[in-house]
Every structure is written in structure tokens, then in C-alpha cells.
Amino acid sequence: MSTTRAPEAAPSAPSTPSARASAREALVPGSTTCGFAVERTQTIDELDADAYVLRHEASGARLLYLACEDENKAFAIAFKTPPANSTGVFHILEHSVLCGSAKFPVKEPFVDLIKSSMQTFLNAMTYPDKTIYPVASTNEQDLLNLMDVYMDAVLNPAIYTKPTIFQQEGWHYELDVPEGGSLRDGALRYNGVVFNEMKGALSDPMNVLDDAVNAALFPETPYAFESGGDPRAIPQLTYEEFLDTHARHYNLANSYITLYGDFADVRRELAFLDERYLSQPYAATERIEQQRAAGAPAEALAPNPLPMQEPTVCAYRRVAMDTTPENALVGMGYVIGQALDTFRVIAADVLFEAILGSNEAPVKKAIIEAGLGGNVVSYTSTACQQPYEMIILQNAKPEVARAFRGVIEDTCRELVEQGVPRDRLEAVISNNEYALRQRDYGVADGVALACDALSTWLYDDEAATSALTCGDIYAELRDALEGDFFETLLRELVLETDHAALVELVPTEADAADAAAGDAVTDPGEAAELAARKEGMSDADLQQVLDGVAELRRQQEAEDAPEDRAKLPRLRVADIGPARPDEPAELDESAPIPCLRHDIPTHRLAYALTYFDLSHVSYVELPYVKVLCRLMQQLPTARRTAAELDSYIGSNLGFLSFTTEVYQQEDWRLARPVLLVSAGALSEKIDALATIPREVWAETLFEDTERMRDVLTQMRIAMEQTFITAGHQAALGRALSYVSPAAVISEQLGGVDFYRFLRDLLDHFDERAGALCDALRDLRDRIFTSSGTIASFTGSDEDYRRYWEAAGTLGLEPRTARAKELFVPMPEPRREAFIIPSDVYYLGKATDPRVLGLATDGSWGVAANALSYGFLWNEIRVKGGAYGCGFRAIPDRQLSFYTYRDPAIDPSIERIARSGAWLRGLDADRETFEGFIVSTVAGQDAPVKPYALTKRRNGAYFSGRPAGWREQLRADMLATTPERLRDLGDAVELVAEQAPACVFGGRGIIEASDADWNVIDLLA
């Protein structure tokens, strides 16, 4: 079977000039190359890159190329998409355009790319005013293939000929008719991927509050709407409006394209874009021309406007939400200025971080001490035309909104009069400079930078690089520490503001009294709305609903035609490069503390990690170890106050963290728990890296119990937030604890068991505070010793030498206290379903393969890829309407299924049960099967940043992995055959049957399940 490819990329050779040198030769300002006018160029030192700003002459498309020596190349195309309502049309479009196109008429090219390419990033994101489609790959041919599919998807999507795409990804009616019942007996409901995703998103009170503050700050702009879609408004979106919105916005004059990385000759990519897409007609222009010919006025055919909001003050707004009392919130928003004023935006971000970024920051400290709520979080929102600072009071007490604002502004007034602490400002600036050097964005660099560039470029064509050039600004801010710049800025932003909003989110069921009081309340309810709509439907209308769903299912279940699959560009296994050796860490036993040495380039940074053995800590003490970690850095030491310590750490270290980790061993019954102290610093500050962590672990004073209560309350609130927003992770950990002793330990150190411990501790804090302090002192003295301790260092040889000269033995002595026995209770199945405030649910179904007698190898990774994106995606996401799902295979340690923001439990469990049968019957053609292998190996080969690589290598050491184990996994993946995957079908069926399950979800969804759950109201 033949395959289609984008133009072949020239192979790299030692004599090939660097990407930056090649770009300088090809892209001369004032010249035209491949249809693009080269407007200007700029060197960006902090990125080690040269930026080129181009404009496609025929289409008007803008393009930014960041030429650098990063092999992880990236492409992105974005469109300005400010919404005109809360139907979520742009979010639905983001999903829908990736469901087939004119050139690639398969059902799910997005999924086909995930399971067949070497992508290191592949996704799409809807922002409040833009939609972006980024991809990344280390293989240039692969990136060209990805560009081909993405460009055709956004410009020529199948949505114009397949209305079922809109129904699947947006919304549609379904009618559940009971067996033997009539149409009138059926229950009408909504379904759709985005509809269910947003039900989950807006079950989070933080999201609801953010929406309300945006609506109050920007009432006359698109930011007043929920760009993701409000489930109450999504069903108001019609198919025709959906198509018209695409045509008006997905046009090249409204587009922003980014290229990033070490292209041997970027003219290849530019010529491809020009010839294949930018100089060709496309769907949006054709529809617009049809409407223009039909007499539509010009303004009706233009993209939605994005006006600037005139200053406005919302003195107070109350929003009611049906959620638990713990979710009471107050939000205060202050508009900073305009996105194009990057100096002011960065200065404001530094200022607010200095006064709000930790418990010792003066404004946050004042709010906590005022006793208005449980925690304060803040962030600077820069992904909009008028950036703003958001300050949120969590677990707020009733009727404290105005007092909250009063504390903020009174404290800011004191700071303006007395001065913002310079040590705190300097600490924030230093920390930001560290982040600039580290360049760890959490995703492929080119993807993050494409998104960052749009934070100014979207609003001014001359500002394509404004958001990417920050180094000089921090130098200016250091100079500004000498005068009253920050006090003046604080007065302008807070005390003299003419653009701010105060919003209170009150947990309560909306009722008539709320409405009478003029409060913003939810609609009467989805159920009542659907009942009314059904009442207005005839039997013929109801039958049409059934017929429509049947047709949707028919199309969802239909196989793509072989000739259509053949049109997708693919890499073959032969295109995969050789394995890159993953050198194991070397244990230097000559160091004062045995040290795992990592020789990894770090941009003149150094990372020091210290692993303290917890095998001598008893099981009942494990939750106290977690508390100990959380309180480190939050309390004073013998030589510094908590505020002094906070600023000292920020000024000298990039980060310092105290965490726990549990490493599974070769014998599944064994585990190795450790307390990990991690720190990073600039090479210039090696002495601080060697001494500050030691001061914190050895000299922290456990005396201020009120401060301890505040920190633990914040910890509880954060855990509850995680249950609501990432319940699948909690469900997977809990489900695994039903069979794995290592997971039982993990639950004590951070799962549901720890959460229950924490709540009980806080409920009885006054009577237990003294004993808590004693327990923490005892644990500190027993844990922070040299016995069983292993260090780790990543950095240059010179930094390594300087580190140990400064560190000595890290002040550690052998343990003298008597060890306690870590006796771990045997795991047991519990079938728990935890009620959380949510309109969706999360499922985890997990086991250790060794418990079932299953031997796993790299072929299981290929099977996981095939199941996740071949079977589960179509069954649970496409048909079931869940936002996410998958099967994970962690080599010889964990096999698991999960679903994410899922509308119904039993259908997904039934579909999971059929996974093994699907794999047994797998009949993939050669291209599809090779794609499974290519994408699985790509995940294995994906580049990682130095700190992540350090953690990965250390994890292999502590887990007892043999040398070369990753290389063996990769070889297993490459050797996988269709017969091998089919042979795994029985084992997958066993996992689906035997792996215990756990659920986190809304009460109604759990009660609707026929499964025999042990139902627990987790937050009660």
C-alpha cells in the first residue's frame, strides 16, 4: 500500500551549517523567499535564537521563525477567535477540525497522528481570544507530515460535509428508552465531548469564579464569555452558526504561524506552506464568497471584534453555585494595563509575586492572619489583551468579601508608605532569571514559545517577539530597586485603580430568593430544561432523536476506507533513528555522602538532590513524614525568621522542595520509600546550593502551631481541588493500593488515606498540636542522618568539586535512634466510589501485573498505544462522550485503565471489559501497525530536560532497574509483531476483569451506576 508524504527533508550531515547560519543566508530582511516577505530579524539572547518575522504576500498570513539549535522542532498555526457568546463554538471547532479534512478524509486524523508519528507534542488549545494548533517532533520529515495534516485540518475540515462531527464533538440529544417502554417513557439528555468536558471544568468553583471575575472586569468584551462553552449555553449553538464561525475566523489573513528549531534549510518548510496551502483556495474563503454573493453585509462576514474594555469598577458581585461549603471563594481582580506594555506587565508580575507569592509575602500573610479563609492563591493572567492580577481567597468564611478587599488595600497602603521589602523583590527577580536560564516549560520549547509570542503578537503585528525578550527587563527591574518605582506601581495598580472587580462565590443551591436579590444564579437545571423540551416534542421528533443517534453511531463505528487511510503521511520503522544511550547514573562512593553523578549539559545550572531512607519509619508515622515535608520552608529556623528564610531561598536558589517518593522493587511485595530534598541553583551560587537545604532540614523550629495550622489547611484545600480537577490520578493511585504494598505506602504519604489523616488532624488540631510538634522533631532527628542516605548531583565537574567542598558531609551523622519497623498492611479490594462536587466522574482501574502472574516487556507499550487510541478512544471518548481515556503499561510495575471527565460509569466499564477481545482480533494493516510502533518508540525517545533526566536515572537506580533496561524496552517495542499484540489479548482481558476499580465523581452519577460500590462522601 502506498503512502503520501510531505516533501522529503534533506538528511543532516556533519558539514550542514547551523540553523541560525542557514537562516541568516536565506532570510534577508527586505527580501522575498518562497512567497514570504522578510520584514525584520532580531537576536534573542535568552533563547540562543534568531527571530525572523515574515508575511505571506498572497494570503496575508503572518509567520515567526525562531532559528536555534534545538532538535525538538515545532510548528503552530493560530487564529484570533474572540467569542461572541458562551456556546463554546471555538472550543468545539478546535475539536472538530481535527476530525477529518478534504485531503485526509479519515475520521480521526488527530488520533492517527498520535499513534503513528514521532511527535513530542500534538494538541490544540482554546484560549479566551485565540485558538492554537501546535505540533513538535525531533524528526524533520515527521514535522512536515504533521504540518500537512494540521494545515488541511484547519483550512479544509470535513465539518462542512459531515454534520455528525458537530454532534459528536459539540452536542446532540440522546433518548434513553427503557426496555419495553414507549418513546414518551424515554429520558432526554445531552451528550457530546465538549459538552461533557465543560461540565467537568465548570464543576470546579475556581473556574466558575474566574469566569465571573472576567465578566465583571471586561463586561463589554469577548472576555465576558466562557470561551470553552457553558453547558447551559452549548445546546443553543446551531450547525449553521458553527460553520459560519469557522469561515469568518479560520482564514489566513487572521492567522499566526510559528516555526521553531534547527531546520537545515527553513526554505523547505516555507515552500511547503506556500505551495500546498497559503497560495491555494480553502473552505473558509469559498463559504464567505458564497455568502457575499448572497448579499451578506461585509461586517457579518468579518471575524468577531476584540475591543479594549474601558476602565470599570465592580464594587461587589455575588455568584451562587451548588457546591460544598468548603468551596466558598472570593476573587479580587486588578487590571494591570495592556499586553503590549511588556515592561509594566512583567514588573507587575514581579511585584504581586513579591507581596502574594508565599505565606511570608506581606499581603498574603495579612489576609491569612485576618482569619478570613483557609488559603490565598494569586496569579497574573497574561493570555489576554488587558492582563490582570487575580487574588483568590479559598475556603472563605461567609460575608468576608469586602473585608478581604480591605485587607488587601490596607496592606498595600502600608507597603506604599513604608516600602515594598527589597529582599522579596530581589528574590522574585532572581528566581525569574533562573527560570530563563533553565528553560523548562513542561512541554516542547517551540510549543511554549509559540503560545508566549501570541500574548503580544495577537494584538499588534509589530509585537511578534515582544513577549520573548525579557532578559533586559529584569536588569532594568534590578536597577529600579533603588528608587520608589515599585511603590508607585503598587499605588497605581491597587490604591488608585479604576479597573477592578470583587466577586464572591457562595456555595448554595440557587433559588428564587437569590434571583430576587439580584444575584447571578444558575439556571433552573438541565433536567428541568430537558423535560420541558421533551414535552414540546412530538413522537416523530423523539423518533428523529433516536434515528439521529443511530446514524451517528453508524458513522462512529464505520471503518475508514483503506484508500483514505493510505492518504495519511506516515513514518515507517525504518525512519526511526538509532537508540540514544541512556547512561545510568554513576555512584561516587568517594564523596562525603555516596553520590549519583550526572554529567548532563545544564546551561550553567546545578541540581543537588538528597534521598533519605524511610524504611525505619513505622507505617502510622508516614502521614507525619508528609506533614514534615510540607512544613519545611514554611517555619523559621534557628538563624532566620520565616520571612527572612523565604526571601533568602528565593534570592539564592531556583527551587527547593521536600517531597516523598516510593519506588517499587523487583519483588512486587517490596517498596523503597524515601524523603527527597531537591534544589537547583545557578552555577554562581553553588555555596547556597550546598548550605541552604541543610539549614532547613536541620534547624527548622516546630513551635509556631498557628502557622502550622494555616499551612496544613492550605494543603487540605489543594488536595480537595485536585480531587475535583484530576480525579483520575487519585482514582488510579487508590485502585492500585488495593493490590500493591508500594501503593499502600503512597496512599499514606499523599492519597486518600493521607487526606483523611489531614482532615482529622485539623479537626482536632488544638488538642494534638503539642504532640504533633514532638512527633515532627523526633522524625527530623531520625530521618536526616547519613544512614542509608544517597546524594545526587547534576552539573559541571567544577561545580561538583565546589559543591562538596562547601557541603562537606551535609552535617549528617549516622543514625543513633532505634529504627522502627515499616510494617505495611496487606492490600485489600474495596470498590470505593468517592463522592466529590462534580457533574462528571473519573475512573481508575489498576493492578501490578506481577500480582496476576503477568510478565511484561516493551511490547505492552505498543499494546497500550493501540488500545488507547484504537479502541478506547472510539468507544469511550467518541461514543461515550468522555473527555479522556486510556490504558497505561508501566514496564512490569503497573497496568491500568482510566477515564477522565466521563458522563456515565457503567458504559465505560463495559467497554473496558471488551478491550482484550478487541486486541485479540486486531487486524491492522502494515502502515497502521508500524505507526503504533513508531509512536511508542517516539515516546521512549522524546527529549527531556536535565532535571527530568536526573530524576529518571535516579528512579531507575532506586527501583533496582538493571543497566540498559530502557534500551531493552525500546528493542522490544521495535520487535513487536501483530501476532504478539493479539497474543496479549487474553492478558488484557484478565487485567480488565481482575484489576480493582475506584471512582471519584458526582453523587448522581455514582448512584446511577448498577455496580456494587462502597460509596463514600469524601469531603463530608
Side-chain angles (χ1 to χ4, degrees), residues 107 137 158 337 346 377 388 502 753 823 840 896 936 994:
K107 292 186 300 180
S137 177
I346 291 174
V377 296
Y388 62 93
L502 175 66
D753 286 344
F823 176 79
V840 291
S896 57
T936 306
Q994 296 292 329

Side-chain angles (χ1 to χ4, degrees), residues 383-396:
C384 55
Q385 188 169 216
Q386 294 167 275
Y388 62 93
E389 182 70 16
M390 181 74 153
I391 309 170
I392 300 173
L393 177 67
Q394 295 177 307
N395 202 186

Side-chain angles (χ1 to χ4, degrees), residues 615-886:
S615 63
H616 64 284
V617 175
S618 70
Y619 180 74
V620 296
E621 290 178 313
L622 290 176
Y624 291 93
V625 175
K626 186 70 172 184
V627 170
L628 177 71
C629 288
R630 184 65 179 87
L631 291 174
M632 290 294 183
Q633 306 176 71
Q634 304 294 329
L635 300 171
T637 66
R639 66 181 94 174
R640 293 177 226 277
T641 67
E644 290 169 345
L645 180 67
D646 191 44
S647 297
Y648 185 60
I649 292 172
S651 295
N652 290 281
L653 298 180
F655 69 93
L656 174 62
S657 67
F658 288 72
T659 57
T660 58
E661 296 191 356
V662 182
Y663 297 103
Q664 293 175 295
Q665 303 298 295
E666 186 175 359
D667 184 335
W668 68 269
R669 293 165 296 186
L670 302 179
R672 187 171 182 174
V674 299
L675 189 158
L676 170 60
V677 182
S678 307
L682 303 174
S683 294
E684 305 90 277
K685 298 191 176 182
I686 287 294
D687 286 355
L689 186 65
T691 58
I692 293 177
R694 168 182 172 175
E695 177 184 340
V696 175
W697 75 51
E699 301 180 31
T700 293
L701 302 177
F702 298 102
E703 298 171 352
D704 189 341
T705 55
E706 282 308 306
R707 186 186 301 270
M708 293 164 65
R709 188 206 305 263
D710 291 338
V711 173
L712 297 180
T713 298
Q714 293 165 356
M715 194 177 190
R716 173 186 64 77
I717 293 169
M719 291 191 74
E720 291 169 350
Q721 185 75 12
T722 300
F723 293 145
I724 295 171
T725 59
H728 61 305
Q729 299 290 4
L732 282 168
R734 188 67 174 177
L736 191 61
S737 76
Y738 303 154
V739 296
S740 166
V744 171
I745 296 174
S746 295
E747 280 291 294
Q748 284 287 98
L749 288 169
V752 169
D753 286 344
F754 175 76
Y755 171 74
R756 288 167 159 170
F757 163 86
L758 182 61
R759 285 201 64 142
D760 183 67
L761 175 62
L762 287 167
D763 287 345
H764 304 90
F765 191 82
D766 289 335
E767 58 264 39
R768 291 173 58 179
L772 173 63
C773 293
D774 292 340
L776 295 176
R777 294 187 195 102
D778 177 55
L779 280 171
R780 176 189 59 195
D781 294 342
R782 285 162 44 206
I783 292 172
F784 296 109
T785 70
S786 61
S787 301
T789 297
I790 301 290
S792 166
F793 187 89
T794 305
S796 69
D797 290 340
E798 174 62 17
D799 286 347
Y800 185 62
R801 181 188 63 77
R802 292 169 51 219
Y803 175 78
W804 284 115
E805 284 180 356
T809 63
L810 295 172
L812 300 174
E813 300 291 339
R815 183 180 307 113
T816 56
R818 183 177 177 181
K820 297 189 178 182
E821 182 180 6
L822 181 54
F823 176 79
V824 182
M826 283 300 294
E828 56 180 328
R830 301 186 183 186
R831 295 194 59 79
E832 292 164 313
F834 294 103
I835 295 173
I836 57 174
S838 178
D839 288 333
V840 291
Y841 86 97
Y842 306 89
L843 168 73
K845 193 171 176 61
T847 191
D848 187 316
R850 297 166 295 180
V851 174
L852 300 179
L854 298 175
T856 58
D857 59 19
S859 64
W860 277 85
V862 182
N865 196 355
L867 281 167
S868 295
Y869 297 109
F871 175 72
L872 296 173
W873 180 281
N874 196 55
E875 290 293 318
I876 294 177
R877 179 181 164 107
V878 173
K879 295 181 186 177
Y883 182 45
C885 59

Side-chain angles (χ1 to χ4, degrees), residues 482-699:
E482 297 299 322
D484 63 354
F485 168 79
F486 285 101
E487 287 74 22
T488 300
L489 182 62
L490 184 58
R491 184 193 311 94
E492 292 173 358
L493 294 178
V494 176
L495 303 181
E496 298 174 355
T497 182
D498 58 357
H499 202 166
L502 175 66
V503 178
E504 182 174 18
L505 186 146
V506 180
T508 180
E509 291 188 3
D511 55 29
D514 295 321
D519 299 328
V521 298
T522 57
D523 287 338
E526 183 182 310
E529 176 182 281
L530 285 165
R533 293 195 177 184
K534 180 190 165 192
E535 187 65 27
M537 290 180 170
S538 65
D539 286 356
D541 294 331
L542 296 176
Q543 185 61 49
Q544 189 174 9
V545 170
L546 288 179
D547 294 343
V549 172
E551 174 59 20
L552 176 60
R553 293 288 180 267
R554 185 191 69 76
Q555 293 194 30
Q556 290 170 335
E557 293 170 0
E559 294 289 337
D560 289 320
E563 60 271 22
D564 290 338
R565 291 201 302 271
K567 294 174 182 176
L568 277 171
R570 300 178 185 274
L571 291 186
R572 294 188 180 279
V573 171
D575 296 318
I576 299 176
R580 301 179 186 184
D582 191 15
E583 300 294 336
E586 296 181 5
L587 185 65
D588 179 5
E589 299 198 61
S590 68
I593 300 293
C595 184
L596 294 165
R597 175 76 176 96
H598 301 274
D599 184 14
I600 304 170
T602 61
H603 292 291
R604 306 188 317 282
L605 300 176
Y607 302 103
L609 290 73
T610 314
Y611 294 81
F612 294 94
D613 176 42
L614 292 179
S615 63
H616 64 284
V617 175
S618 70
Y619 180 74
V620 296
E621 290 178 313
L622 290 176
Y624 291 93
V625 175
K626 186 70 172 184
V627 170
L628 177 71
C629 288
R630 184 65 179 87
L631 291 174
M632 290 294 183
Q633 306 176 71
Q634 304 294 329
L635 300 171
T637 66
R639 66 181 94 174
R640 293 177 226 277
T641 67
E644 290 169 345
L645 180 67
D646 191 44
S647 297
Y648 185 60
I649 292 172
S651 295
N652 290 281
L653 298 180
F655 69 93
L656 174 62
S657 67
F658 288 72
T659 57
T660 58
E661 296 191 356
V662 182
Y663 297 103
Q664 293 175 295
Q665 303 298 295
E666 186 175 359
D667 184 335
W668 68 269
R669 293 165 296 186
L670 302 179
R672 187 171 182 174
V674 299
L675 189 158
L676 170 60
V677 182
S678 307
L682 303 174
S683 294
E684 305 90 277
K685 298 191 176 182
I686 287 294
D687 286 355
L689 186 65
T691 58
I692 293 177
R694 168 182 172 175
E695 177 184 340
V696 175
W697 75 51
E699 301 180 31

Side-chain angles (χ1 to χ4, degrees), residues 7 132 148 250 267 296 349 446 462 564 721 865 917 947:
I132 183 167
D148 200 10
Y250 281 58
R267 286 174 293 196
D349 183 45
E462 300 300 313
D564 290 338
Q721 185 75 12
N865 196 355
Y947 181 66

